[in-house]
Amino acid sequence: MSQVGSFGVNYKKAFQGLDAYGFPGSLPATVGTVGSLPEGDFVFVQADGAIDQYGFVKIEADGQAAMLTTTNAGSNALAVGVAQVAALDNEYLWVWIGGPMGGGVGKGIRGKVAAGFVAKANLNTTSSGTPGVADDASTTLIKGGVGLASTTPAAAVELGSVDHLRVN
């Protein structure tokens, strides 16, 4: 992965990778590029299936990202990100991966959590029935981050981090 500053990091937009005529378009970065902003670190990925806005995703070594579940978290050390924009299969996007002092109250970085989430509880993966949603009552820990607000219904809450997000 290469590291860049804030140049080209637009985490509020998905990129098709093709121009209006179906030819390769101009992407802001290559897959796997890491960019840093005051909100934290972001990695440029390609969607492997549709990705929901604020969905937690697993990031493979080849830069493919898919909605995270307990099942696909597996036993491998996977990088985890949080999409701040929805993307269709094969689109490109920047996903938030946390970092030291990433996110935080008022920064606008959000992630989907299950109903009844308790503020500052551990983030955990959920079943394949709720892909991309974190919970505070599961067994596969998403290390490095925390949800900053409690919620009664399922919702997107602000996130904070102390490290890059990962499982196992």
Side-chain angles (χ1 to χ4, degrees), residues 57-117:
V57 297
K58 70 172 184 138
I59 305 168
E60 299 285 349
D62 63 359
Q64 294 288 302
M67 298 284 279
L68 181 67
T69 67
T70 300
T71 303
N72 69 17
S75 59
N76 300 320
L78 285 174
V80 173
V82 186
Q84 299 301 295
V85 63
L88 300 174
D89 186 27
N90 291 320
E91 285 189 327
Y92 299 84
L93 65 155
W94 292 96
V95 296
W96 183 75
I97 56 172
M101 303 304 290
V105 175
K107 295 282 184 149
I109 299 298
R110 298 184 177 279
K112 285 184 171 185
V113 296
F117 186 84

Side-chain angles (χ1 to χ4, degrees), residues 10-69:
N10 182 353
Y11 63 87
K12 296 180 180 181
K13 178 181 178 182
F15 302 87
Q16 290 185 343
L18 299 175
D19 66 16
Y21 303 102
F23 293 106
S26 177
L27 294 174
T30 57
V31 170
T33 298
V34 176
S36 297
L37 294 174
E39 296 90 339
D41 292 339
F42 294 80
V43 67
F44 195 66
V45 298
Q46 184 177 25
D48 183 11
I51 293 176
D52 295 342
Q53 183 178 26
Y54 305 128
F56 285 81
V57 297
K58 70 172 184 138
I59 305 168
E60 299 285 349
D62 63 359
Q64 294 288 302
M67 298 284 279
L68 181 67
T69 67

Side-chain angles (χ1 to χ4, degrees), residues 56 68-70 73-74 76-78 80 117 120-126 134-146 164-168:
F56 285 81
L68 181 67
T69 67
T70 300
N76 300 320
L78 285 174
V80 173
F117 186 84
K120 300 183 183 172
N122 287 334
L123 294 166
N124 297 283
T125 61
T126 56
D135 195 358
D136 56 3
S138 183
T139 56
T140 303
L141 177 65
I142 301 171
K143 298 176 185 174
V146 65
H164 289 146
L165 306 179
R166 65 191 188 291
V167 292
N168 300 317

